[in-house]
C-alpha cells in the first residue's frame, strides 16, 4: 500500500548530504543544509527516540492537560522548519487549513474538529456531525509526512524549540507501507494527529483489516499498512473519536531510532495529545 498523496521527503545521509539513491517524489531532490550540522548536542546523530525524548524533557510536558490546541501559526512554523532544514522544495498546497484537517470528501475537511477532551486525555478529535457505521472518517494520505530515514527526522526535531519538539516527538509513529516492507517514520501536519487512543474497549474507529493488501472489513485487530480509518459503529455529533494505537506498532529500532546503538526492542505508544 502506498498513497500517491503521502508527502515523502527525499533521503539524507548522516552527514547531511543527499545519497545517490534518493527517493523520487513530487518534490525535487535536494542537498540538505549544504552539509552543515544543525544540532549542537554532542552525538545527536546517534540518539534514539527515547534518548531524544529525554533530552527535551518531554515526559512532564506529555502529561500536561493544559496544552493549547495548535494554531495556524504553529503549523506554519512546523512547515517552515521542515522546509528549511529537511527539504527546501517541499510545498503545502491544500486549500483546507491544518487547523481544520485536510481536503477530504469533495474537497472539504474531514468530519471532525479539535478540542480538549473532557475525559482527561488532553487534546483530541470530535465528530463534527453524525457519522454512520462503516463510513470513512480519516484518510492519512493527504496529510501524512513520511521521513525516509531516522537522520531526516532528527534534523527536523533538533531544530524545534522544546515544547514544539515534544509535540512532534509524541506525534511520530512508525508504519509499514506494504506487507513485509520497512518500517517508516510518519507524522502529520494537521489536527488529525490529535486523535486519542480508546484501546480496544472504547475505540469507535479502526482500519478495515489487519492485512496490508486486503480490504476485508472484518476489524480483526493486529497491525495494518492502511492509513484509511473507518467508523466501527454509529457516532454522534460531538462524540470523541478514538482508535486503538496498537494498529500502528511503534517499533523504533526497526526505523533506526532505537536506544543508543539502534537496537532497542521496546515499543512506545502515544501519550495524551
Amino acid at each position: 500500500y502506498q498513497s500517491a498523496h503521502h508527502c515523502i521527503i527525499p533521503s539524507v545521509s548522516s552527514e547531511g548530504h543527499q545519497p545517490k539513491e534518493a527517493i523520487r517524489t513530487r518534490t525535487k531532490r535536494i542537498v540538505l543544509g549544504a552539509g552543515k550540522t544543525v544540532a549542537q548536542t554532542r552525538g545527536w546523530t546517534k540518539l534514539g527516540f527515547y534518548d531524544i525524548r529525554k533530552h527535551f524533557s518531554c515526559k512532564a510536558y506529555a502529561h500536561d492537560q493544559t496544552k493549547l490546541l495548535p494554531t495556524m501559526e504553529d503549523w506554519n512554523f512546523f512547515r517552515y522548519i521542515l522546509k528549511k532544514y529537511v527539504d527546501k522544495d517541499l510545498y503545502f498546497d491544500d486549500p483546507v487549513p491544518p487547523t481544520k484537517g485536510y481536503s477530504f470528501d469533495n474537497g472539504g475537511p474531514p468530519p471532525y474538529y479539535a478540542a480538549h477532551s473532557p475525559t482527561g486525555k488532553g487534546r483530541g478529535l470530535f465528530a463534527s456531525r453524525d457519522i454512520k457505521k462503516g463510513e470513512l472518517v480519516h484518510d492519512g494520505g493527504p496529510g501524512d509526512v513520511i521521513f525516509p530515514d531516522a537522520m531526516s527526522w532528527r534534523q527536523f526535531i533538533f531544530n524545534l524549540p522544546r515544547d514544539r519538539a515534544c509535540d512532534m516527538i509524541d506525534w511520530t509513529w512508525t508504519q509499514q507501507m506494504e506487507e513485509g516492507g520497512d518500517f517508516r517514520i510518519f507524522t502529520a501536519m494537521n489536527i488529525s494527529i490529535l486523535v486519542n487512543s480508546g484501546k480496544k474497549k472504547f475505540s469507535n474507529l479502526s482500519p478495515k483489516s489487519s492485512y496490508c493488501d486486503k480490504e476485508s472489513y472484518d476489524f480483526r485487530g493486529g497491525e495494518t499498512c492502511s492509513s484509511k480509518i473507518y467508523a466501527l459503529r454509529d457516532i454522534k455529533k460531538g462524540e470523541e473519536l478514538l482508535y486503538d494505537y496498537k494498529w500502528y506498532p511503534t517499533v523504533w529500532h526497526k526505523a533506526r531510532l532505537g536506544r543508543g546503538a539502534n537496537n532497542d526492542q521496546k515499543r512506545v505508544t502515544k501519550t495524551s495529545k
Side-chain angles (χ1 to χ4, degrees):
Y1 169 83
Q2 181 175 350
S3 170
H5 299 287
H6 282 299
C7 177
I8 307 177
I9 301 173
S11 178
V12 294
S13 70
S14 60
E15 289 77 24
H17 296 286
Q18 186 77 18
K20 294 180 180 179
E21 297 299 326
I23 298 175
R24 293 183 179 273
T25 68
R26 64 191 178 116
T27 60
K28 298 179 181 179
R29 299 174 62 185
I30 64 164
V31 176
L32 171 65
K36 296 181 180 179
T37 301
V38 295
Q40 300 301 317
T41 303
R42 178 177 295 179
W44 69 276
T45 61
K46 303 292 185 181
L47 294 180
F49 177 86
Y50 297 106
D51 304 310
I52 295 171
R53 199 167 187 268
K54 182 178 180 180
H55 169 79
F56 284 101
S57 302
C58 294
K59 184 175 181 180
Y61 178 79
H63 296 285
D64 179 4
Q65 302 301 311
T66 65
K67 295 193 294 287
L68 299 177
L69 294 172
T71 64
M72 193 66 203
E73 180 182 4
D74 293 324
W75 294 119
N76 283 337
F77 180 75
F78 288 132
R79 292 174 172 183
Y80 167 77
I81 295 298
L82 198 64
K83 287 170 64 69
K84 182 175 181 179
Y85 293 106
V86 180
D87 185 350
K88 66 179 181 181
D89 295 324
L90 190 65
Y91 62 92
F92 298 90
D93 55 358
D94 195 327
V96 175
T99 52
K100 300 293 184 181
Y102 54 89
S103 293
F104 184 66
D105 187 22
N106 295 322
Y112 50 73
Y113 61 91
H116 284 91
S117 174
T119 59
K121 292 181 178 293
R123 300 168 289 189
L125 297 180
F126 298 81
S128 57
R129 57 171 174 78
D130 290 346
I131 299 172
K132 295 293 186 181
K133 178 181 178 180
E135 185 178 341
L136 179 66
V137 178
H138 170 67
D139 181 0
D144 289 347
V145 172
I146 306 172
F147 292 86
D149 49 42
M151 188 55 56
S152 297
W153 184 80
R154 290 187 185 98
Q155 293 272 12
F156 176 56
I157 295 298
F158 273 103
N159 279 287
L160 296 171
R162 182 256 185 174
D163 288 0
R164 285 170 170 170
C166 287
D167 274 335
M168 272 298 164
I169 288 169
D170 284 341
W171 293 345
T172 299
W173 75 98
T174 62
Q175 182 181 336
Q176 293 171 294
M177 297 178 67
E178 59 185 6
E179 188 169 9
D182 293 336
F183 278 84
R184 305 291 296 276
I185 301 170
F186 279 69
T187 191
M189 289 288 172
N190 58 67
I191 61 167
S192 66
I193 198 63
L194 299 177
V195 65
N196 283 309
S197 176
K199 299 184 178 179
K200 184 176 181 180
K201 183 176 181 180
F202 299 107
S203 292
N204 50 23
L205 301 178
S206 174
K208 277 189 174 181
S209 172
S210 60
Y211 293 93
C212 300
D213 58 352
K214 296 181 180 179
E215 292 287 338
S216 57
Y217 204 66
D218 55 11
F219 301 106
R220 285 174 288 181
E223 303 171 0
T224 185
C225 295
S226 176
S227 295
K228 295 180 183 292
I229 307 294
Y230 299 81
L232 280 169
R233 56 171 174 79
D234 289 346
I235 301 172
K236 295 293 185 181
K237 180 180 179 180
E239 186 176 347
E240 184 167 9
L241 303 179
L242 304 167
Y243 79 96
D244 191 346
Y245 288 162
K246 289 183 179 179
W247 279 102
Y248 300 104
T250 301
V251 191
W252 300 117
H253 73 281
K254 291 188 177 180
R256 300 199 61 78
L257 277 174
R259 182 172 288 153
N262 292 322
N263 60 358
D264 190 0
Q265 299 297 314
K266 295 182 180 179
R267 294 185 178 186
V268 65
T269 56
K270 296 176 186 175
T271 57
S272 62
K273 302 300 185 229

